[in-house]
Amino acid sequence: MLAQLVVSGIAQGALYALVALAMTVVYRATTVINFGQGDFVMAGAFAVYVLVVLAGAPFVVSAVLALALLFGIGWAIYAGLIRPIVAGPHLALAMMAVAVGYALRGVARVVWGREVLPFPRVLPQGSFTVGPVILSASDLVVAGGVIVAVAVLGLVFYATPLGKTAQAIFQSERGAALIGINVAAFQGAMWGVAAAMGALGGILIAPITLLYPDLAASILIRGFAAMTLGGFGSFPGAAIGGVMLGVSELLVGAYVSSTLIDITAYLVIIGVLLIRPSGLFGRPIAVRV
Amino acid sequence: MRISRTLFAATLAAAVVAPAAAQDRTGVTETTIKIGVPAPLTGPNASFGAAAYGIQAYYNYVNEKGGVHGRKIELILADHACNEAKGVAVAKKLISQDQVFLINGGICSGVALAMRPVIEEAGVPWVVSTAVNQKISAPLAKNIFHASQTSEAAGHGLARFVLSKEGTRKIGVIAHTNEWSRGYRDPMVAYLKDKGLSPAIEVTLERGQSDATAQVLRLKEAGLDFVVAILYEPEIVVFLRDAHKLGLNVPKLGSLGADYVNTEKRLGSREPMQGFYQIFQYKDLIDGPGMKNARAIIEPRLPPGEKLTDFSFYGPGSAVAIVHVLDKIGRDLTREKFIAEMEQLKDFDTGMIAGKLSYSPTNHQGATQLYTVGYDDTGKIVVFEAWGKKAQL
């Protein structure tokens, strides 16, 4: 049972990691925690649903279009709603992110509020046994997707000039602007990337959870918990935090009580903030005041 | 002397008020009867709003036929989004602002429970259509009637079906932890206790969870004969998917709260449905001959874009009973007469709800019959009376 729980927990945690990674992208670019990220996941999933089911487009084309669409939405949200208040307090930025998320959810509810839709079966079906563990093909796809996402983000942010740009903006937007970096464009692009990652998450999550406007509500808090556990701003931390949270939930559910699964994320947040506020891989940072 | 005066005043007041109270015609005009239907028309549980549109379709049908004794039904759909606070506000609005004659509906048990004190105090007749929690209509309130099977009846129905499979001793339960779920679970456990049994294991799967590995493995390890799943639509899919994946190959029985056919559509495959049954509240499958008339009434009168689902019929049965009672009363319609006539309703066939509705002054929970739906050995979805025994519909 233990091996199965760990493996299934990794697959589940990969979903949380994907949300945490996207939140980390925004955080590293703008120091804002995007509490609307869960709704980017939902919006991305619905975008694919509309393109595949209603417009009849091939899945791969739909997925690419959905990623592009969400990239645009993310950028537009930054340009129209975040940028004008970016000099304000963090609380206002966080509240704007929450409001944007709820607005996206509200739009989805207007159209699909009365439906729990089956998502197109885009992930490979079937499962196979490895020793005592049963693995589904979709688990492997999700976990693989997260590994690729971590690798790409790690490469971009740690081994390219783009990463240095991000670091410069993260440390001082004004300083970055003084040396010629187009801060607004960069931050807009990062919001776009995060939204596109949300779409990727939606494509991977919706086949498992079904498709409805509130599908990502519980994923968001788990993504945030993963980010907290891994350390704010750390990509490996977000990924490992997500996986650890996924495994913890299942172990707690199996060996302690299934009632606690739902609050594991909150317990993690409380524990980390009390014991190690910077998380496993984060570094203490000075926050703009 | 002072006491005598007080008594006199009280008697006088009662004498003045009593006749008015005895002839409460609020919401009734020469040409209309105003009926309020509180329902979740928006929000995450808006799919249950289909029951309200079914009610609306039935009243439209009645109006097309000329109404009841020359009065058309004026319906007010009121959205509470399955939210308790909104539900209370909606109940107050229907009673005080809209001044409805009666309330028909009650979808989402938690909301209906929150609405009960308001409606009970106002004395407005309330025929509950869909919310199942037995505490909505018990302890008995003079003006509240349940026209759908309560969760107590459903809980007993769950236990009866499980025990009808010979040799069933070890029963597991997977459920949400909310009031809706407890409404099924507690009567089921009480029924099992009467038979000398109790659940071997109980696990929870909360709303929004997308993985049931831990729960399924615990159920599997317990070596069960049967699993009862008291879960809403998205979570029943998660549970069945993981049960199939992890080889929990024992019969499973679901509560009301999900649509059997839609569950299969959402799973995208029939395989996880093998061995899964669900208790069933209608006379027949919605595409079966027993529901042909009901379908002919409801389907063409649904709002544009509204699809016919199981839930479309989870409401209009109560409207059928209401119209029958209104018809019986005649033109001289009062709330008191409505309540009295509801209490006289016996063995009434709604043409939709399984079994027949019967009320009395001491019993306002009129629907008790439940069936079970599932695949038979030939791979066809059928309605069962008990394990392996098809219902004679």
Side-chain angles (χ1 to χ4, degrees):
Chain A
M1 183 155 100
L2 178 63
Q4 181 68 58
L5 288 166
V6 170
V7 170
S8 293
I10 290 171
Q12 184 68 11
L15 296 174
Y16 308 156
L18 205 53
V19 175
L21 284 168
M23 292 173 85
T24 302
V25 167
V26 170
Y27 180 74
R28 284 185 72 102
T30 62
T31 71
V32 173
I33 294 172
N34 179 16
F35 286 108
Q37 185 63 38
D39 296 293
F40 285 153
V41 171
M42 175 275 300
F46 270 109
V48 173
Y49 178 84
V50 168
L51 291 165
V52 172
V53 178
L54 304 184
F59 168 68
V60 176
V61 174
S62 304
V64 172
L65 286 175
L67 291 175
L69 176 68
L70 264 290
F71 181 88
I73 289 174
W75 195 318
I77 287 170
Y78 170 79
L81 303 172
I82 301 293
R83 187 70 194 162
I85 61 165
V86 81
H90 267 81
L91 186 60
L93 293 166
M95 287 312 296
M96 179 61 88
V98 171
V100 167
Y102 270 93
L104 286 173
R105 201 180 307 180
V107 170
R109 280 179 181 169
V110 168
V111 186
W112 295 284
R114 306 192 50 245
E115 314 243 16
V116 179
L117 301 162
F119 197 74
R121 302 182 77 185
V122 292
L123 299 182
Q125 304 299 308
S127 54
F128 48 91
T129 305
V130 182
V133 175
I134 300 165
L135 268 170
S136 65
S138 60
D139 289 344
L140 290 180
V141 171
V142 173
V146 171
I147 290 168
V148 170
V150 172
V152 170
L153 289 170
L155 202 66
V156 168
F157 277 86
Y158 294 112
T160 67
L162 206 63
K164 288 195 170 59
T165 303
Q167 191 61 29
I169 293 172
F170 184 72
Q171 287 184 347
S172 168
E173 287 181 23
R174 197 171 176 190
L178 284 171
I179 59 168
I181 295 172
N182 186 340
V183 174
F186 181 81
Q187 290 184 332
M190 289 302 104
W191 270 82
V193 167
M197 287 178 71
L200 177 63
I203 294 165
L204 296 173
I205 291 168
I208 296 166
T209 61
L210 300 174
L211 184 56
Y212 51 104
D214 291 69
L215 82 91
S218 63
I219 299 276
L220 171 71
I221 193 66
R222 288 169 165 91
F224 180 64
M227 192 183 175
T228 311
L229 178 59
F232 290 108
S234 165
F235 291 115
I240 292 169
V243 169
M244 285 178 72
L245 179 61
V247 173
S248 303
E249 282 187 340
L250 295 201
L251 292 178
V252 165
Y255 294 115
V256 185
S257 168
S258 53
T259 316
L260 296 177
I261 291 176
D262 226 27
I263 61 165
T264 303
Y266 298 99
L267 296 177
V268 165
I269 292 169
I270 292 168
V272 172
L273 291 180
L274 278 177
I275 298 163
R276 189 179 162 85
S278 57
L280 295 174
F281 298 92
R283 287 169 299 177
I285 54 164
V287 176
R288 172 165 58 89
V289 290
Chain B
M1 188 66 182
R2 182 177 290 174
I3 291 171
S4 302
R5 266 189 206 155
T6 309
L7 271 175
F8 175 74
T11 309
L12 188 65
V16 170
V17 170
Q23 297 179 11
D24 191 344
R25 292 186 171 83
T26 305
V28 180
T29 69
E30 281 302 304
T31 55
T32 60
I33 302 167
K34 205 183 274 187
I35 294 177
V37 178
L41 305 177
T42 59
N45 293 302
S47 59
F48 300 137
Y53 292 121
I55 291 174
Q56 185 184 42
Y58 183 73
Y59 286 130
N60 285 344
Y61 164 77
V62 170
N63 286 342
E64 286 167 22
K65 298 279 174 195
V68 187
H69 294 292
R71 291 189 178 109
K72 296 282 176 74
I73 304 295
E74 186 186 338
L75 203 68
I76 298 172
L77 289 182
D79 180 24
H80 60 51
C82 220
N83 174 287
E84 283 78 359
K86 286 184 184 169
V88 170
V90 156
K92 287 177 177 170
K93 176 186 168 289
L94 289 173
I95 294 165
S96 305
Q97 190 178 319
D98 300 320
Q99 301 215 317
V100 296
F101 174 70
L102 63 81
I103 294 172
N104 179 201
I107 303 163
C108 296
S109 284
V111 178
L113 285 168
M115 287 163 57
R116 176 184 157 129
V118 178
I119 299 175
E120 184 180 4
E121 191 185 341
V124 176
W126 181 20
V127 182
V128 182
S129 67
T130 313
V132 293
N133 195 295
Q134 69 271 13
K135 292 176 190 165
I136 299 163
S137 54
L140 187 138
K142 188 69 181 165
N143 57 321
I144 301 174
F145 297 85
H146 233 125
S148 58
Q149 297 86 348
T150 63
S151 53
E152 184 167 39
H156 291 170
L158 288 168
R160 268 198 304 273
F161 186 78
V162 166
L163 295 180
S164 69
K165 183 174 184 290
E166 208 174 316
T168 299
R169 304 296 298 169
K170 291 187 82 175
I171 301 158
V173 180
I174 179 164
H176 300 309
T177 53
N178 57 14
E179 186 66 29
W180 171 82
S181 175
R182 279 196 296 275
Y184 289 92
R185 183 260 176 208
D186 294 350
M188 180 187 74
V189 170
Y191 189 98
L192 292 174
K193 201 175 169 189
D194 282 348
K195 305 291 178 191
L197 293 170
S198 61
I201 180 172
E202 295 191 61
V203 295
T204 62
L205 182 67
E206 297 300 357
R207 301 224 62 194
Q209 286 186 3
S210 56
D211 185 277
T213 302
Q215 293 88 339
V216 167
L217 291 178
R218 286 188 64 193
L219 293 168
K220 194 176 170 187
E221 209 173 55
L224 303 169
D225 300 316
F226 225 119
V227 173
V228 176
I230 307 172
L231 303 169
Y232 277 124
E233 284 174 307
E235 291 78 22
I236 197 82
V237 171
V238 168
F239 167 63
L240 291 175
R241 182 202 66 204
D242 285 349
H244 174 64
K245 173 184 158 187
L246 299 170
L248 180 63
N249 298 319
V250 295
K252 302 160 201 81
L253 177 62
S255 60
L256 301 172
D259 179 316
Y260 192 82
V261 175
N262 276 345
T263 299
E264 180 173 331
K265 281 184 195 159
R266 285 162 185 156
L267 279 162
S269 158
R270 186 186 290 187
E271 284 174 12
M273 296 291 283
Q274 295 302 324
F276 175 60
Y277 302 85
Q278 191 167 359
I279 53 170
F280 188 67
Q281 68 274 44
Y282 302 125
K283 291 180 75 67
D284 196 355
L285 297 169
I286 64 167
D287 55 355
M291 293 288 278
K292 193 179 168 192
N293 289 342
R295 220 169 41 248
I297 292 170
I298 301 300
E299 190 166 14
R301 293 173 180 85
L302 291 174
E306 176 73 13
K307 291 176 201 150
L308 189 78
T309 71
D310 268 12
F311 279 107
S312 306
F313 298 97
Y314 207 174
S318 63
V320 175
I322 287 171
V323 169
H324 173 78
V325 167
L326 294 174
D327 187 51
K328 248 184 135 184
I329 294 168
R331 283 288 294 175
D332 188 18
L333 180 59
T334 66
R335 283 175 172 168
E336 291 69 27
K337 284 184 181 175
F338 180 83
I339 290 168
E341 203 59 53
M342 277 297 290
E343 289 181 337
Q344 299 303 313
L345 196 66
K346 296 277 185 291
D347 294 326
F348 178 70
D349 185 353
T350 63
M352 298 180 203
I353 300 167
K356 291 175 178 173
L357 296 180
S358 286
Y359 300 93
S360 74
T362 55
N363 174 33
H364 283 196
Q365 298 181 336
T368 53
Q369 174 79 54
L370 276 154
Y371 296 117
T372 301
V373 69
Y375 278 103
D376 68 3
D377 295 337
T378 65
K380 209 174 136 195
I381 296 176
V382 296
V383 180
F384 293 97
E385 234 171 66
W387 180 262
K389 187 182 173 192
K390 288 182 192 172
Q392 300 300 312
L393 302 168

